[in-house]
Structures are given as C-alpha cells and as structure tokens.
Amino acid sequence: MKNTTEIIHATVDFVKKELVGAEGGHDWFHTYRVWKMACRIAEYEECNKLVVELAALLHDIADAKFNLGDEEAGPRKAADFLKASDLSDEVIDHVENIIRHISFKGGNHQQGFRSPEMDVVQDSDRLDAIGAIGIARTFNYGGFKNRKIYDPDIKPDLNMTKEAYKNSTAPTINHFYEKLLLLRGRMNTKTGRAMAEHRHQFMEEFLNEFYEEWEGVK
Ligand code: ADP
Ligand code: NI
C-alpha cells in the first residue's frame, strides 16, 4: 500500500470497524467531524497534511476511559495498524505521539508534546467538545455514566488533578466549568481560536437559559 489516498481509505475502514458500538460522543461520527475539521484548519496552517489526517482519524480508537485506563492502548493500536502500510517511522511516531498526548486531562495537566500537526488535530478535537455538538456529547456521556444532569449542591472543582478528573462522578453541568468553558482559551491555532469563539458564546447562552428554566424563571 503506497499511495496516500489508499492509506486514508484503509484507515477510515479500520477506524469505523474499531468504533462499532462506541459511546455516542466518541463514535465514528465524532472522528469523522474531527477529521473534516482538521482538514479545514490544516489548509490555513503550515503542517504535514498526511500526519494531520491520520492522527485525526486514529485519535480515539482506544480511549483510555473505555480501556481500563490504559493510556497506551490507543497509540499502540494505531502504530500497529500503520506499520502495515509503507509509511516512514517518522510519520508513524509522530501520529503515535499526537494520539498519546491529545487528550484533556484536567485543567492543571501540563501537556508533554507539541507540533504544528498536534495543534491542528487537538483544536479540531476541542472544537467538537464545545458548541451545540459539545453540549449534545456531554449530556450523552453523562447519561452513559448515569450522572445527574445538575445538582446545585455539588460545585464544580477547578483544581482537580489528572486522577481526580478521570475519576470524577460529578453532575454533567459541572463538566462545562471543569473543561468545556476552558477550551476557548486553550486553542492552539488562529483558525481554531476564531471558530471556538462562536461555539463558546452558544454554550454560555445555553447555560443561562438552563438556570432560568431550572428556577422556573422562564
Ligand atoms: P478528550 O477528547 O480531551 O480526551 P474526553 O474524551 O475526556 O476529552 O471528552 C470528550 C467529550 O466527552 C467531552 O467533551 C464531553 O462531551 C464528554 N465527557 C468526557 N468526560 C465527561 C464528563 N466527566 N462529564 C460529561 N461529559 C464528559
Ligand atoms: Ni476525540
């Protein structure tokens, strides 16, 4: 297998198969959106487009959350798959590194790896975590975990360690403060930052509406 189009096609087929039965916020359609967005942002950035596409496609094939906390499951699976095609070790290592470091691990976690390609894929993944889609995914995940929608007595915790963030059982609304509303300020690329603005505003509006309805004000 040599040509780029063939490699991308084979990767799409592989990822679709790996994600059969995945939770609705981390399924093939999440990957599809991240992939398309990454291609779009990549047009404005100096970067290796093949690395961007492969990393976007493979970034969630074995999320540690759904693999007994194994943070190496995803990068390992991706690298094993890519080794079957004629890609350089450099490309494979790069994709593996992006997958290993892309995930948000709480507001206080220092990220260990960066590259222009990582910046593009991470921004795309983050854009899918905010705005209307972000809201839908978040409540889907909360339902999947049987979390409360909201509990005014359980306040968001902005000082969680990576471990605490991973093990949190807080209501879904708290996730907006613990992650979603922080993402706008953490976008890597100019394009991503501009796109995050509208999605962020939309979440703010959603939250205002939510609290008003909660109290029967509206
Ligand atoms: P990353 O893509 O940075 O690894 P996650 O996979 O943890 O982030 O989160 C992706 C999406 O899954 C979040 O944006 C959110 O929609 C949902 N999600 C993850 N953790 C939670 C949580 N504790 N409560 C509600 N939704 C969550
Ligand atoms: Ni993702």
Side-chain angles (χ1 to χ4, degrees), residues 2-54:
K2 275 219 161 63
N3 115 13
T4 307
T5 316
E6 276 169 10
I7 294 177
I8 297 294
H9 274 157
T11 308
V12 167
D13 287 346
F14 171 70
V15 173
K16 279 185 181 166
K17 275 195 211 109
E18 290 297 318
L19 290 174
V20 167
E23 178 265 322
H26 292 83
D27 58 1
W28 159 250
F29 294 115
H30 161 63
T31 292
Y32 172 81
R33 293 188 300 267
V34 173
W35 174 37
K36 290 292 143 183
M37 182 58 79
C39 290
R40 187 167 157 200
I41 298 178
E43 283 177 31
Y44 303 96
E45 304 293 321
E46 192 73 45
C47 61
N48 179 327
K49 308 273 188 301
L50 180 62
V51 169
V52 165
E53 286 200 61
L54 291 174

Side-chain angles (χ1 to χ4, degrees), residues 10 75 94 183:
H94 195 165
L183 293 179

Side-chain angles (χ1 to χ4, degrees), residues 199-213:
R199 295 186 184 207
H200 184 94
Q201 296 303 334
F202 188 83
M203 287 194 297
E204 297 270 22
E205 271 173 50
F206 168 80
L207 289 169
N208 289 337
E209 179 81 19
F210 184 96
Y211 297 125
E212 286 183 343
E213 291 183 13

Side-chain angles (χ1 to χ4, degrees), residues 86-140:
D86 286 330
L87 291 163
S88 67
D89 287 347
E90 199 188 330
V91 166
I92 298 179
D93 289 350
H94 195 165
V95 171
E96 215 182 327
N97 261 321
I98 294 176
I99 300 171
R100 185 174 288 121
H101 295 281
I102 190 170
S103 183
F104 184 87
K105 299 185 174 72
N108 293 323
H109 186 72
Q110 266 307 83
Q111 182 174 317
F113 174 78
R114 272 193 81 174
S115 70
E117 293 74 11
M118 163 67 130
D119 286 351
V120 171
V121 181
Q122 192 169 49
D123 276 6
S124 310
D125 197 27
R126 287 176 169 173
L127 284 166
D128 208 57
I130 60 178
I133 299 253
I135 295 170
R137 292 179 70 211
T138 301
F139 284 104
N140 194 72

Side-chain angles (χ1 to χ4, degrees), residues 26 60 63 65 102-104 125 129 134 137-138 141-142 147 165 168 172 175 179-180:
H26 292 83
D60 262 340
D63 191 312
K65 280 196 292 309
I102 190 170
S103 183
F104 184 87
D125 197 27
R137 292 179 70 211
T138 301
Y141 187 85
R147 306 248 170 99
Y165 175 75
S168 163
T172 300
H175 196 64
K179 174 181 174 184
L180 309 189

